[in-house]
Amino acid sequence: MTVSAVLFDLDGTLTDPFDGITRSIQHALEKMSAKAVAAADLRWCIGPPLWDSFRVLLETDDKARLDEAVAHYRERYTVTGLYENSLIEGIPDVLAELSSAGIKLHVCTSKPHAYAGKIVEHFGLMPHFGKVYGSELDGTRSAKTDLIAHVLSEEGLAAEETVMIGDRKHDLIGANANGVKGVGVLWGYGSREELAAEKPVLIAEKPAELGSLLEA
């Protein structure tokens, strides 16, 4: 298949943000006087927009209450949680391989771009990417369907020559909605069953598999 551009999810795809995200959610729940949840039981919160996660955790659709929870989350995340993160082994090599082959690379994450850019820079990945795309702080374009559409428009990319790579179903749902090829990865937070249900063109077990597919 012809591939001219690749969009990479961030959390669970390029980096493992487990500690920073779960600890910041726990901080927010404590501030909201909500029931405490063990970190291991918050794995499902890595990937979806924060508002969606807090809607379940707090059992409410009250936007003011959800906004308050997100604000408490960011109190900790922007100072500490942002850097409680680790780079996925093998990712720098894949990015170098793809970019050297002339493929345009962009980050496409539900995380606010203000934070995502800092993480990408922190791990020295920015030279490989054209731009880091993320949501706005108010949640605008936190849904992958909306964000991918925005990236395609902003960059003038052909959907049929673009690939979205991510570890959760949200990445693949967004890809399918925009006519973009979806690739699921198993080193993040989505199961094979979750990813397979969205019919990706590939489910990769290791980062090294991405290069061989995209250059085929």
Side-chain angles (χ1 to χ4, degrees):
M1 67 182 178
T2 300
V3 176
S4 61
V6 178
L7 312 181
F8 277 90
D9 174 48
L10 178 58
D11 291 340
T13 302
L14 297 176
T15 69
D16 182 352
F18 181 79
D19 288 342
I21 289 178
T22 57
R23 290 171 184 172
S24 298
I25 290 175
Q26 290 172 325
H27 170 80
L29 293 177
E30 181 180 358
K31 289 285 189 176
M32 299 293 290
S33 300
K35 180 181 177 181
V37 181
D41 295 327
L42 292 171
R43 288 179 62 88
W44 64 272
C45 297
I46 300 176
L50 271 177
W51 282 265
D52 293 353
S53 297
F54 281 121
R55 186 172 288 111
V56 175
L57 292 168
L58 298 174
E59 299 180 334
T60 184
D61 286 317
D62 184 337
K63 188 175 186 303
R65 188 161 167 76
L66 294 174
D67 286 347
E68 183 182 355
V70 170
H72 286 310
Y73 171 94
R74 289 175 175 167
E75 284 173 358
R76 184 186 187 282
Y77 186 80
T78 57
V79 176
T80 305
L82 195 69
Y83 302 111
E84 293 173 323
N85 204 341
S86 59
L87 185 62
I88 301 295
E89 185 177 356
I91 283 296
D93 292 339
V94 170
L95 298 179
E97 181 181 359
L98 297 178
S99 59
S100 66
I103 296 174
K104 298 176 182 177
L105 307 182
H106 301 287
V107 174
C108 182
T109 173
S110 293
K111 184 185 298 296
H113 55 79
Y115 306 151
K118 291 181 180 179
I119 294 170
V120 174
E121 289 179 352
H122 176 70
F123 288 110
L125 302 179
M126 194 62 84
H128 300 298
F129 291 106
K131 189 170 180 180
V132 175
Y133 285 94
S135 66
E136 300 301 323
L137 290 172
D138 65 359
T140 300
R141 289 192 293 275
S142 60
K144 280 292 171 70
T145 295
D146 297 337
L147 184 59
I148 292 173
H150 177 67
V151 177
L152 293 176
S153 175
E154 286 291 301
E155 297 293 333
L157 303 178
E160 65 275 12
E161 294 183 5
T162 301
V163 173
M164 175 72 216
I165 298 176
D167 68 313
R168 298 300 308 273
K169 66 181 180 180
H170 312 83
D171 302 301
L172 305 180
I173 289 171
N176 291 334
N178 285 283
V180 167
K181 299 176 182 70
V183 170
V185 303
L186 291 177
W187 54 83
Y189 290 86
S191 67
R192 182 181 290 276
E193 291 72 23
E194 174 184 323
L195 298 173
E198 307 307 328
K199 298 179 169 54
V201 297
L202 171 74
I203 295 179
E205 295 185 358
K206 299 178 181 178
E209 295 177 30
L210 299 176
S212 60
L213 169 84
L214 300 176
E215 292 179 4

